[in-house]
């Protein structure tokens, strides 16, 4: 794997320095820049490339959640991973809905951070162990877990890995139209509005592997 260019965004310089210390000896990581405000990030990504942005939610000039949405609009190929102390389930899911490819808490180890960055670069939605436990707890509105066919389970797992309908069709030797039909059926069975909500619900009920 080539070096991964990483931009760190946090309003606390001590957090930035801590991340730099954790990552500096790792052969895969290359810290290209650190920012303490959203305006710096917006200016930087308009003319520079970052593979990964580690983004805090609390910034002095903009919410990290909104900044994530703006980053994805400016540079869709950039992978954004939220890096925060906030542990509310609603906040985590809002970040994913706004384009984040993962959510990590700041007490994460370098080993887990490395695994999550690798996973996100590969196209997966990643969570640290603690975050996964938070989002996997059933919501208060309990309902019957949908019954899935073997094919639906396969497609659900591939959707959670960030695969497109064309990718899934090629992997399972199906037509893209058939895959799209299965995806629509999955949304209906889970009563999900979109793929992000579908993956969240599937994680809650342990129907897919993370």
């Amino acid at each position: 794997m080539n070096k991964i260019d990483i931009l760190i965004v946090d309003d606390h310089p001590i957090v930035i320095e801590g991340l730099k210390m954790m990552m500096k000896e790792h052969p895969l990581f290359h810290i290209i820049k650190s920012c303490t405000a959203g305006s710096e990030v917006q200016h930087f990504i308009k003319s520079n490339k970052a593979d990964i942005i580690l983004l805090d939610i609390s910034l002095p000039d903009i919410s990290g959640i909104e900044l994530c949405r703006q980053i994805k609009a400016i540079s869709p190929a950039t992978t954004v991973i939220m890096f925060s102390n906030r542990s509310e389930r609603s906040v985590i899911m809002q970040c994913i809905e706004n384009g984040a490819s993962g959510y990590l808490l700041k007490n994460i180890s370098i080993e887990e951070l490395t695994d999550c960055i690798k996973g996100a670069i590969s196209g997966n939605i990643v969570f640290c162990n603690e975050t996964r436990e938070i989002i996997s707890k059933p919501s208060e509105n309990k309902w019957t877990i949908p019954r899935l066919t073997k094919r639906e389970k396969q497609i659900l797992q591939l959707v959670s890995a960030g695969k497109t309908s064309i990718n899934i069709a090629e992997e399972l030797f199906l037509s893209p139209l058939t895959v799209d039909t299965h995806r629509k059926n999955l949304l209906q069975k889970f009563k999900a509005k979109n793929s992000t909500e579908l993956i969240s619900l599937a994680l809650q009920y342990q129907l897919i592997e993370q």
Side-chain angles (χ1 to χ4, degrees):
M1 186 180 286
N2 295 328
K3 284 266 190 180
I4 299 171
D5 290 332
I6 299 173
L7 169 61
I8 301 172
V9 186
D10 197 289
D11 63 336
H12 292 97
I14 193 169
V15 173
I16 292 174
E17 291 306 313
L19 281 171
K20 287 180 177 179
M21 288 291 292
M22 287 175 70
M23 294 180 170
K24 71 176 183 178
E25 301 299 332
H26 199 286
L28 277 181
F29 299 153
H30 175 223
I31 309 299
I32 56 171
K33 186 175 176 60
S34 59
C35 301
T36 56
S39 56
E40 296 177 66
V41 181
Q42 293 163 333
H43 178 75
F44 181 80
I45 63 171
K46 286 178 181 177
S47 54
N48 298 275
K49 175 182 173 293
D51 298 315
I52 291 277
I53 295 181
L54 287 177
L55 177 60
D56 190 13
I57 288 178
S58 301
L59 298 172
D61 56 348
I62 188 173
S63 160
I65 299 173
E66 172 59 21
L67 181 58
C68 176
R69 188 189 66 77
Q70 293 182 11
I71 290 168
K72 296 301 290 186
I74 296 169
S75 179
T78 299
T79 299
V80 180
I81 301 176
M82 307 308 291
F83 190 70
S84 176
N85 285 322
R86 298 282 299 273
S87 59
E88 302 95 320
R89 187 181 186 282
S90 59
V91 172
I92 296 168
M93 297 319 303
Q94 192 177 355
C95 289
I96 302 301
E97 289 167 4
N98 276 269
S101 293
Y103 196 103
L104 311 179
L105 296 179
K106 288 184 177 180
N107 60 359
I108 194 171
S109 67
I110 184 61
E111 292 79 15
E112 197 172 6
L113 176 62
T114 300
D115 289 342
C116 287
I117 289 176
K118 287 180 180 178
I121 281 290
S122 299
N124 298 321
I125 296 176
V126 298
F127 302 103
C128 62
N129 291 332
E130 191 174 341
T131 305
R132 192 180 301 114
E133 288 178 9
I134 293 167
I135 66 170
S136 296
K137 291 178 181 176
S139 59
E140 294 181 0
N141 298 322
K142 295 185 178 180
W143 51 285
T144 304
I145 299 174
R147 288 189 176 184
L148 304 181
T149 65
K150 182 179 179 181
R151 181 65 80 193
E152 285 173 339
K153 288 179 181 177
Q154 288 178 316
I155 290 174
L156 182 59
Q157 186 66 52
L158 293 170
V159 169
S160 73
K163 305 271 181 149
T164 65
S165 291
I166 293 175
N167 296 148
I168 295 171
E170 291 174 349
E171 190 164 330
L172 299 180
F173 303 102
L174 301 171
S175 72
L177 181 59
T178 298
V179 174
D180 281 336
T181 299
H182 281 301
R183 293 182 71 147
K184 288 177 183 176
N185 289 340
L186 285 166
L187 289 172
Q188 290 176 355
K189 283 189 175 184
F190 281 86
K191 299 179 183 178
K193 297 176 184 177
N194 49 47
S195 294
T196 300
E197 189 174 344
L198 173 65
I199 294 167
S200 171
L201 291 168
L203 280 168
Q204 282 184 42
Y205 292 98
Q206 300 179 349
L207 295 175
I208 55 176
E209 298 176 1
Q210 177 63 36

